[in-house]
Every structure is written in structure tokens, then in C-alpha cells.
């Protein structure tokens, strides 16, 4: 599904990703953990194609295609979903409008027919129910006045509607109480745990991994993967800290 090889990337001319190798096979959930400033969010942005993030070396193959050759919207249409550490607020645009526009833009670029208003509302309600979110909330402007937990649940609803092949979720667990954490975990499992989908879960706590059991855990430090292991590695990190494990 995702194959990153010798990736180097800079932000504002500063090298942040420095020789990163990572393979996420189809059907697997991989977690990336690591200290603050390691380059976790930068990696997510580089994969999403955010402007200002420059790849200086290496390659990324996504579902057999050269990901880095695609524009951000083409990456999304190809089935890449990026969940943000800090979801943006968009005053004046309702969440439902935003979701419907996003979905239909993707459908058009895949040569599929647009979803009618009725069919879309049905889909949105179904996904909101799955995440324990009142669909009425989606009539409000995107993320405006949403609590941290509501933003993350709404993002999971968005993921359910977009139905991506690969979800890269950056600190989806930050600022969540236990109920919201469970809801998000359940959302990831029910939407993305499938033989034809993969997840890259960026987190620095073990607790989300109690709900979303990863197949592999990687430690990102100073711009590269310094250790990989099974789910037990997350527990080891929690006990001993990054300094010990990444040394
Ligand atoms: P993490 O998500 O692992 O905490 P980040 O990817 O956010 O780390 O940041 C990695 C490094 O890149 C940090 O040293 C950070 O200060 C730097 N960095 C991130 N964004 C920018 C930017 N826009 N301009 C300059 N430096 C940046
Ligand atoms: Mg980050």
C-alpha cells in the first residue's frame, strides 16, 4: 500500500525528514511513535503534499503509483486521507456542505457520478451514528466552536464518508477524554480495519493503541525510523521512554 524509501524532506530549508524508510502493507495498521519535534507531523504533511514541505530525495509509492508526482487533490482522489493534529475551522461553510463537496470532487475525478443530496444525507447520518455523533452538529460551520473531541469525531465521520484506502492520522488522540478516545478507536476499527485498507497512526501515547491494535509499531526520531517492532514496542516505550528505546 505505502512504500517510503530513503525519504528526505525540508521545511523552510531545514532538513526534517532524513533518510526515512517505511513499508505499510495492505490490510495493516502501523503506529508511528516518537518524541516531540521528531518529524511525525512533517512526515504526514509531506505525504499529503502540503505546500512548503519539500522532498529533496527518496521515493514514495502509494498503491503502486508515484505519490510524490501527484497533486494533493489527486492524492486524495487516489484514496489517501490525512487527519490533522490541529483541525482547521472554516467559518461560513457547514460541515455537511464541506463533506458533500469533498466527496463529489473526489467522485468526479474518479469518473464516478456525484451523490444526490438525499443519498449524501443518508450516508452522512449513517457514518455519524457509527461515531456516536449527532448528525445535527454537521449543520454547523466546520469545527467552529467544536470541542477537541467533537472535532476528532467529526474527522472520523469525514473519513467514513471519504472511504479512503490509506488513512494517515496525526495525533488523533490528543486532547480526547476516554469516551471520545473509545469512539475514535471504534471509528478507526470499523471504517479502516479491512483487508484492502491501511492505517498509519501517529501518536505519542500508548492509550489509543489499546483500542486500535497496531500490527507494527515504529519509532521516529530525528527524521528517521530508528526502531520497529510488534505492539509490545508501544508498551516498552510507555515504560521506558523514547530516549532509552531509540538509543
Ligand atoms: P512532531 O510532529 O514529531 O512533534 P514536527 O514534524 O511537527 O514534529 O516538527 C519537526 C521539526 O520541524 C521541529 O523541529 C519543528 O520545529 C520543525 N518545523 C515544523 N514545521 C516548521 C516550519 N513551518 N518552519 C520551520 N520549522 C518547522
Ligand atoms: Mg506533530
Amino acid at each position: 500500500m505505502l512504500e517510503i524509501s530513503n525519504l528526505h524532506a525540508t521545511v523552510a530549508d531545514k532538513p526534517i525528514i532524513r533518510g526515512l524508510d517505511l513499508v505499510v502493507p495492505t490490510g495493516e495498521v502501523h503506529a508511528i511513535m516518537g518524541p516531540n519535534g521528531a518529524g511525525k507531523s512533517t512526515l504526514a504533511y509531506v505525504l499529503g503534499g502540503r505546500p512548503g514541505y519539500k522532498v529533496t530525495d527518496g521515493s514514495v509509492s502509494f498503491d503502486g503509483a508515484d505519490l510524490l508526482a501527484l497533486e494533493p487533490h489527486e492524492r486524495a482522489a487516489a484514496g489517501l486521507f490525512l487527519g490533522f493534529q490541529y483541525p482547521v475551522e472554516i467559518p461560513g461553510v457547514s460541515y455537511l456542505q464541506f463533506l458533500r463537496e469533498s466527496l463529489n470532487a473526489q467522485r468526479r475525478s474518479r469518473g464516478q457520478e456525484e451523490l444526490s443530496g438525499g443519498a449524501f444525507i443518508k450516508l452522512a447520518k449513517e457514518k455519524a451514528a457509527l461515531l456516536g455523533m449527532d448528525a445535527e452538529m454537521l449543520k454547523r460551520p466546520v469545527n467552529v466552536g467544536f470541542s477537541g473531541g467533537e472535532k476528532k469525531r467529526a474527522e472520523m465521520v469525514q473519513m467514513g464518508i471519504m472511504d479512503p484506502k490509506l488513512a494517515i492520522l496525526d495525533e488523533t488522540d490528543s486532547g480526547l477524554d476516554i469516551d471520545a478516545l473509545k469512539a475514535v478507536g471504534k471509528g478507526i476499527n470499523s471504517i479502516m480495519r479491512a483487508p484492502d485498507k491501511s492505517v498509519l497512526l501517529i501518536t505519542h501515547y500508548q492509550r489509543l493503541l489499546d483500542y486500535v491494535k497496531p500490527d507494527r509499531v515504529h519509532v521516529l526520531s530525528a527524521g528517521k525510523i530508528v526502531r520497529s517492532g510488534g505492539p509490545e514496542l508501544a508498551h516498552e516505550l510507555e515504560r521506558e521512554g523514547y530516549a532509552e528505546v531509540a538509543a
Side-chain angles (χ1 to χ4, degrees), residues 140-154:
R140 287 168 45 184
V142 177
N143 288 322
V144 177
F146 283 32
S147 71
E150 287 166 345
K151 286 181 184 171
K152 291 300 173 173
R153 278 185 215 236

Side-chain angles (χ1 to χ4, degrees), residues 11-12 14 16 35-42 53:
V11 185
K14 193 170 138 194
I16 306 291
N36 279 324
K40 303 184 298 297
S41 294
T42 301
Y53 291 69

Side-chain angles (χ1 to χ4, degrees), residues 40-42 85 170-171 202:
K40 303 184 298 297
S41 294
T42 301
Q85 184 169 4
D170 188 8
E171 308 232 0
I202 298 172

Side-chain angles (χ1 to χ4, degrees), residues 127-176:
K127 299 301 177 188
L130 190 70
L131 273 301
M133 174 171 242
D134 183 353
E136 284 295 305
M137 274 213 68
L138 299 175
K139 292 182 179 163
R140 287 168 45 184
V142 177
N143 288 322
V144 177
F146 283 32
S147 71
E150 287 166 345
K151 286 181 184 171
K152 291 300 173 173
R153 278 185 215 236
E155 191 170 57
M156 293 295 107
V157 173
Q158 184 188 353
M159 185 170 79
I161 288 173
M162 298 305 157
D163 195 26
K165 288 181 193 155
L166 171 68
I168 300 172
L169 303 173
D170 188 8
E171 308 232 0
T172 285
D173 47 352
S174 65
L176 296 189

